Amino acid sequence: MANPAATLTSLLRSSSIQDHDEILKAANAAIKASKHDIQAQRTRVVALLKLDRFDDALRAIAEGGDGLETECLFEKSYALYKSGQLEDAEKTLAAASAPSRSSRAFRHLTAQVAYRAEKFSDAADAYHNLSQTPGSLPGEENDLKINLLATSAQLEWNGHGHILPEQERQPSRDHLEAFETAYNAACTCIARGDFTRASVFLKRAQDLCEASEDLTTDEKKAELLPIVVQHAYVLAKLGKETEAVALQKSIVALEIPEAPTRAIAQNNQVAIGITGKNPFLTQRILESATNLSGSDRLFAYQASVLRRNGYALDLQAQKFNGIKSSTTKTILQSPSPAASAEIASLGVINAAAHTHMQTGAGALKQMLPLLEKRPTDIGLLLTIIQLYVQLKTPGRALSLLEAFLKRLETAATPDYEDVRFAPGLVAIVVALYRLQGRQNSIRAELAKASSYWRVKSKESAASLLREAGVELLRSSNHEDVASAGETFKNLVAKSDKDLIAVAGLVASFANDHYTKIEPYLQSLTSVEKLTAGINVQDLVNAGVASIPTAAPTSKKRPADSEPEKATKRRRKIKLPKNYEEGKQPDPERWLPLRDRSTYRPKGKKSRKRAQEITQGGVVKEEETLELVGGAGAVKVEKASNVQGGKKKKKGKK
């Protein structure tokens, strides 16, 4: 009978062995013959790793004792990494000797463990060191380029792209040579929001993958699926819904071998609307697709998106109590306040659940008491501000936000300053000030924010610093211009290829410190080249265009609802009934009726009264009688001569 150890040695010496099952059988036979054969035990571990039997490999290492574990630190770390036990993998790698840790294999595995543990800055450093160290193996350079691009994309997605060199943040033509690099470059563009360029790189990746001669048909299909899933997402973000739906329908989610990619594809189908409009059925489909097990796991930002989509389906299904309970628990357990997009989004979802998805003034009445209970909930605060703006009462929104920022300024915790000057909150304050035309307040806010972020070395707020410098440069105040110069100087120190920062630096110091700007003048386009082809006389004749600025509004709190002003109706001119056009009106029409010349009274009393007051009438005769005793005199009217004035006697009854 042949010696098992000799058989194993001959198998290992053969350079064309691809049947790992046969190697595993030979290793087991050698171990059966000699239980303390370290070489046979290690060969069995490697064969199990090649067969993707990682749990069996870990058991084999544990059964081999401390001696085998010392010899198989790399194999154990790899098995732990593939099993999803990342912390144990890091500890095992750290336990290796210094010469072992300095080997390229250990350094590659260290970078992969850091990448999967979402320590992307550590992974980027490891890959940079490997690419700069000589002694790479054939094909290793291409693998390093692919992994570096993937790490760059992850850093961009997590908001840490500023730590990368500028040349690594921008895709180049070299990335179009292989479908792996083209795909990872597209992911970098997606993370930065450059979907147009991402679509170009994804199309190139798909073409290169389909034309590859090194892959089998099944391998091509497996490689194309994530490319197509990503391309459908990009088309949807570009507003090309018809193309996105058509491409998404071509994907059979059950055929995707990787569980995380399958979950993302199913989520995108739900988001695009392919699975239907029934929220309960959609919820069941999404839950079954995103329920990962074992070592399969999503990255944090991917899990966050799927979690928010699940809450959105719960809102549509009107599961308000469950949403309130789960989101409130997460919000209260997290550090508060925190400039975290994840926690802020939970605050918005929690507010929607409390108000049963209402909007307007009714929703505000329910949210304001909730804000008193959770005064540091940024998501709830931003929701209330948005509702105030929709109701056209930005003054209340600004008062609420200013009170929140003042509370952060008076707090003694250093972390509160990061929240106080978070670029998003500063942008909202500036936008509300701009609605009210408060230009000085805008400059004061941006000046404070820029002075805070200039001294930060690790954190980045380049966009905020750039906008703050531009705004301060417009001021006529010398201190604001000096602050703008320091801001642009800080940006140029981080990246001298930022032309906006270079131009701002030149404009800030051009009048006072010419020596500071002299090295940067060559990098800017000359004035002659910028003004070439411009007719100055035509511009003068056309006049100066001015942008209307919003008039500053009153600081007083406006009323909840202003009363509508009644429109004054103009009365229609009424004409007399006997009005004839062209006929001269009666000149006495404004006089009283009795004063008109045409007046003729009716009845005897009226005629008698008229005769008395009318010229030419009968004059009454009067006489004056003296009273007895000198008491005075009275006038009496004489009786008229009436014949037959005798009075008839009354007859007796």
Side-chain angles (χ1 to χ4, degrees):
M1 184 177 178
N3 186 3
T7 304
L8 178 61
T9 303
S10 63
L11 283 172
L12 293 176
R13 286 176 180 174
S14 178
S15 60
S16 60
I17 294 177
Q18 298 295 331
D19 191 353
H20 303 294
D21 286 319
E22 187 176 347
I23 296 177
L24 181 60
K25 290 179 182 178
N28 287 331
I31 293 170
K32 194 173 184 180
S34 177
K35 294 184 178 180
H36 301 290
D37 190 345
I38 298 296
Q39 183 183 7
Q41 291 177 347
R42 187 171 187 177
T43 303
R44 180 177 67 170
V45 171
V46 173
L48 290 171
L49 293 176
K50 291 286 187 179
L51 294 170
D52 293 343
R53 295 168 58 179
F54 306 112
D55 293 335
D56 293 338
L58 290 173
R59 278 194 294 270
I61 294 172
E63 291 172 358
D66 295 339
L68 179 61
E69 185 173 354
T70 304
E71 290 291 328
C72 296
L73 284 176
F74 178 81
E75 289 81 0
K76 182 181 179 180
S77 301
Y78 184 77
L80 291 170
Y81 157 67
K82 296 296 287 186
S83 301
Q85 304 176 48
L86 302 178
E87 292 183 3
D88 293 337
E90 289 179 346
K91 293 178 182 178
T92 305
L93 286 170
S97 61
S100 298
R101 291 199 305 270
S102 62
S103 65
R104 298 190 73 85
F106 264 86
R107 290 161 68 186
H108 270 285
L109 183 56
T110 301
Q112 291 179 7
V113 172
Y115 178 87
R116 203 63 194 85
E118 302 191 31
K119 299 177 180 179
F120 302 115
S121 58
D122 296 341
D125 293 339
Y127 284 129
H128 278 121
N129 292 332
L130 280 168
S131 61
Q132 295 169 2
T133 305
S136 62
L137 300 174
E140 185 181 357
E141 183 179 355
N142 187 51
D143 291 342
L144 286 173
K145 186 186 295 184
I146 293 170
N147 292 341
L148 264 175
L149 278 172
T151 308
S152 300
Q154 294 287 359
L155 286 170
E156 293 282 0
W157 260 312
N158 286 272
H160 301 296
H162 59 278
I163 69 175
L164 293 169
E166 191 64 28
Q167 62 271 16
E168 293 184 10
R169 301 189 67 182
Q170 299 296 332
S172 63
R173 297 186 64 87
D174 296 339
H175 300 150
L176 297 173
E177 296 177 357
F179 75 89
E180 297 98 332
T181 54
Y183 174 76
N184 286 345
C187 292
T188 305
C189 294
I190 294 171
R192 291 201 315 272
D194 189 358
F195 298 109
T196 303
R197 189 180 294 184
S199 179
V200 175
F201 276 90
L202 288 170
K203 186 68 173 64
R204 176 64 175 172
Q206 184 176 352
D207 294 340
L208 289 173
C209 185
E210 291 174 347
S212 176
E213 298 179 356
D214 300 332
L215 301 176
T216 63
T217 304
D218 293 339
E219 289 174 342
K220 285 182 181 179
K221 190 174 182 180
E223 295 288 350
L224 281 172
L225 281 171
I227 297 174
V228 175
V229 170
Q230 200 74 286
H231 202 185
Y233 168 77
V234 169
L235 291 174
K237 296 294 288 185
L238 288 173
K240 301 178 180 180
E241 296 183 1
T242 305
E243 299 178 29
V245 170
L247 195 59
Q248 192 69 44
K249 285 183 177 179
S250 67
I251 301 171
V252 182
L254 297 177
E255 295 180 357
I256 301 176
E258 297 179 355
T261 306
R262 185 166 60 249
I264 293 171
Q266 193 69 58
N267 174 79
N268 292 352
Q269 286 184 354
V270 171
I272 293 175
I274 296 176
T275 56
K277 301 297 183 181
N278 188 331
F280 299 97
L281 180 60
T282 304
Q283 196 174 40
R284 291 184 59 184
I285 294 173
L286 190 60
E287 286 178 356
S288 62
T290 57
N291 188 15
L292 305 181
S293 60
S295 60
D296 295 326
R297 52 188 289 185
L298 295 166
F299 288 106
Y301 70 92
Q302 294 173 331
S304 174
V305 173
L306 266 64
R307 187 161 47 248
R308 289 199 301 269
N309 289 349
Y311 280 128
L313 289 173
D314 289 341
L315 288 173
Q316 293 181 15
Q318 299 185 5
K319 299 180 179 180
F320 302 123
N321 292 333
I323 297 172
K324 287 190 291 185
S325 175
S326 60
T327 53
T328 302
K329 182 179 179 180
T330 306
I331 291 170
L332 294 179
Q333 289 177 349
S334 63
S336 180
S340 168
E342 170 69 10
I343 302 301
S345 64
L346 291 181
V348 177
I349 294 169
N350 183 271
H354 271 90
T355 60
H356 291 193
M357 299 178 67
Q358 293 181 6
T359 57
L364 279 174
K365 290 181 180 179
Q366 300 181 57
M367 289 184 192
L368 290 174
L370 193 63
L371 185 63
E372 294 179 0
K373 297 179 181 179
R374 301 203 306 265
T376 57
D377 189 343
I378 296 179
L380 178 61
L381 174 71
L382 296 181
T383 305
I384 295 174
I385 290 173
Q386 180 68 23
L387 290 176
Y388 273 134
V389 173
Q390 290 179 352
L391 293 173
K392 298 182 179 180
T393 55
R396 290 188 173 187
L398 184 57
S399 301
L400 199 65
L401 184 55
E402 285 178 336
F404 173 75
L405 296 179
K406 284 182 180 179
R407 287 199 301 271
L408 294 180
E409 290 175 355
T410 56
T413 309
D415 296 341
Y416 280 25
E417 290 187 349
D418 293 343
V419 181
R420 165 62 183 87
F421 296 108
L425 287 179
V426 174
I428 294 173
V429 175
V430 170
L432 292 174
Y433 280 146
R434 189 164 284 128
L435 284 177
Q436 296 187 337
R438 297 167 61 178
Q439 199 66 28
N440 293 333
S441 299
I442 292 175
R443 288 172 183 159
E445 177 66 24
L446 290 175
K448 289 192 293 185
S450 63
S451 62
Y452 175 77
W453 286 109
R454 282 201 304 266
V455 299
K456 293 288 183 178
S457 57
K458 295 183 179 179
E459 292 81 4
S460 173
S463 60
L464 173 62
L465 291 174
R466 196 178 292 114
E467 293 298 325
V470 171
E471 186 63 38
L472 293 172
L473 196 57
R474 295 172 180 164
S475 174
S476 58
N477 190 345
H478 183 73
E479 294 181 358
D480 290 343
V481 176
S483 178
E486 293 299 324
T487 300
F488 287 124
K489 183 179 178 180
N490 181 275
L491 290 171
V492 172
K494 293 180 179 179
S495 174
D496 57 355
K497 294 184 179 180
D498 188 348
L499 295 180
I500 296 178
V502 173
L505 179 66
V506 171
S508 302
F509 296 116
N511 295 330
D512 301 330
H513 304 282
Y514 185 79
T515 55
K516 291 184 178 181
I517 67 173
E518 199 168 3
Y520 304 102
L521 294 178
Q522 298 298 327
S523 61
L524 296 177
T525 308
S526 62
V527 177
E528 291 78 11
K529 189 174 181 179
L530 290 173
T531 57
I534 297 177
N535 192 326
V536 179
Q537 191 59 42
D538 290 345
L539 293 177
V540 173
N541 295 336
V544 179
S546 60
I547 301 175
T549 57
T553 57
S554 174
K555 294 184 179 180
K556 293 182 179 180
R557 188 178 66 181
D560 291 337
S561 58
E562 296 183 0
E564 297 181 358
K565 295 182 179 180
T567 55
K568 189 175 181 180
R569 294 179 59 186
R570 299 189 64 180
R571 299 181 62 181
K572 188 177 179 181
I573 299 175
K574 294 183 178 181
L575 299 174
K577 294 181 179 179
N578 57 352
Y579 173 76
E580 295 181 9
E581 190 174 355
K583 184 178 179 181
Q584 187 70 20
D586 185 5
E588 296 181 353
R589 65 186 184 278
W590 307 116
L591 297 175
L593 188 62
R594 66 178 181 272
D595 294 339
R596 299 182 190 179
S597 60
T598 57
Y599 175 67
R600 297 292 183 268
K602 297 179 181 180
K604 294 181 180 180
K605 292 183 179 180
S606 298
R607 284 196 296 269
K608 183 179 179 182
R609 193 181 301 112
Q611 288 175 359
E612 293 175 354
I613 63 175
T614 305
Q615 186 178 4
V618 178
V619 178
K620 296 179 180 179
E621 294 183 4
E622 295 178 349
E623 62 179 349
T624 302
L625 298 178
E626 296 291 337
L627 297 178
V628 178
V634 294
K635 291 182 179 180
V636 295
E637 184 180 342
K638 286 185 177 182
S640 58
N641 294 327
V642 181
Q643 294 180 357
K646 288 184 179 180
K647 218 173 186 182
K648 290 184 178 180
K649 293 182 180 179
K650 292 183 179 180
K652 292 182 180 180
K653 292 184 180 180

